[in-house]
Amino acid sequence: KNQVEQSPQSLIILEGKNCTLQCNYTVSPFSNLRWYKQDTGRGPVSLTIMTFSENTKSNGRYTATLDADTKQSSLHITASQLSDSASYICVVTPLSGGSYIPTFGRGTSLIVHP
Amino acid sequence: DAGVTQSPTHLIKTRGQQVTLRCSPKSGHDTVSWYQQALGQGPQFIFQYYEEEERQRGNFPDRFSGHQFPNYSSELNVNALLLGDSALYLCASSVMADPANYGYTFGSGTRLTVV
């Protein structure tokens, strides 16, 4: 069964600090891995997308890394801002069986305090 | 270029009632997928529509049904509502010719509360 596990479940940091969120997956083979940001009560917004052959992808203060050998990805947030408070979801799209339905992690809830 | 539009944004229903949620996909997209997201959980796949047919379905009972119209918009219907159906319902649109879903785009969701 395809699974995506994220850690930590929740994280509290001070404004201006950096943080790293983790994602472990069993989906294989996969087409792409995406990190989404979801504000409370809103739909997820894509931050980064990486294919299986990419190791890193940046979007402003967000940098995602991918290690396809260990099936791990991380999302690093630099110089956090209050607006970074949200849930961050790791999503993996499979590449087999005619099913391209993405598999979602449960998300990491990030709270940035002033 | 409009993104994915969902309506209504909020809805309160009573147990046993029926509800219809609506989704207009992003311009150029022909595929619509529906998700249920309970509080504190990741989105759970309900079903996907393409060419006005249900193509794939997740582990949801038959109380959940859908429809896609010729203009690619879609509806999600839930019958005999239960308290446990309270959730954020998300619609995502994509292009079937893009199987890697690079263009997968979500709407803002409909918050359904069943009382």
Side-chain angles (χ1 to χ4, degrees):
Chain A
K1 179 181 177 182
N2 290 334
Q3 287 186 314
V4 176
E5 301 289 339
Q6 292 188 242
S7 62
Q9 184 176 357
S10 61
L11 184 61
I12 300 174
I13 62 174
L14 293 176
E15 185 179 13
K17 297 296 185 181
N18 303 335
C19 66
T20 300
L21 314 180
Q22 300 292 341
C23 173
N24 295 334
Y25 60 91
T26 62
V27 180
S28 183
F30 74 93
S31 169
N32 61 77
L33 185 149
R34 197 189 303 247
W35 282 92
Y36 283 93
K37 177 186 179 186
Q38 185 177 24
D39 293 316
T40 302
R42 307 286 294 179
V45 176
S46 182
L47 294 175
T48 63
I49 178 170
M50 293 180 290
T51 65
F52 64 91
S53 61
E54 294 179 289
N55 299 120
T56 186
K57 185 66 68 77
S58 291
N59 177 5
R61 295 180 296 103
Y62 301 101
T63 299
T65 63
L66 174 63
D67 186 335
D69 291 332
T70 61
K71 295 184 173 60
Q72 295 180 326
S73 176
S74 65
L75 179 68
H76 187 74
I77 304 175
T78 304
S80 60
Q81 300 175 358
L82 298 180
S83 60
D84 291 333
S85 296
S87 178
Y88 291 83
I89 305 175
C90 175
V91 183
V92 183
T93 298
L95 187 64
S96 65
S99 170
Y100 299 102
I101 303 300
T103 299
F104 287 75
R106 290 189 171 189
T108 292
S109 176
L110 174 66
I111 298 174
V112 181
H113 280 314
Chain B
D1 182 21
V4 179
T5 304
Q6 291 188 244
S7 63
T9 55
H10 296 84
L11 201 54
I12 300 175
K13 289 286 189 178
T14 304
R15 274 182 301 174
Q17 284 189 314
Q18 178 264 345
V19 68
T20 298
L21 311 181
R22 297 177 176 81
C23 172
S24 293
K26 183 178 179 179
S27 177
H29 286 190
D30 56 16
T31 304
V32 173
S33 302
W34 287 92
Y35 291 82
Q36 180 193 66
Q37 186 177 25
L39 202 60
Q41 303 294 318
Q44 298 294 314
F45 174 70
I46 302 175
F47 43 54
Q48 181 186 73
Y49 275 84
Y50 172 66
E51 291 186 327
E52 303 179 46
E53 292 186 2
E54 182 183 295
R55 297 290 174 153
Q56 298 191 64
R57 188 179 183 93
N59 188 27
F60 279 80
D62 292 342
R63 298 186 298 108
F64 290 77
S65 63
H67 189 77
Q68 187 180 33
F69 299 93
N71 67 353
Y72 308 119
S73 66
S74 176
E75 290 182 347
L76 164 66
N77 301 293
V78 186
N79 295 321
L81 284 167
L82 304 174
L83 295 179
D85 294 332
S86 295
L88 181 67
Y89 287 84
L90 296 166
C91 167
S93 73
S94 57
V95 179
M96 185 55 74
D98 166 32
N101 290 313
Y102 288 107
Y104 215 75
T105 304
F106 282 91
S108 294
T110 294
R111 169 67 65 185
L112 172 65
T113 302
V114 182
V115 297

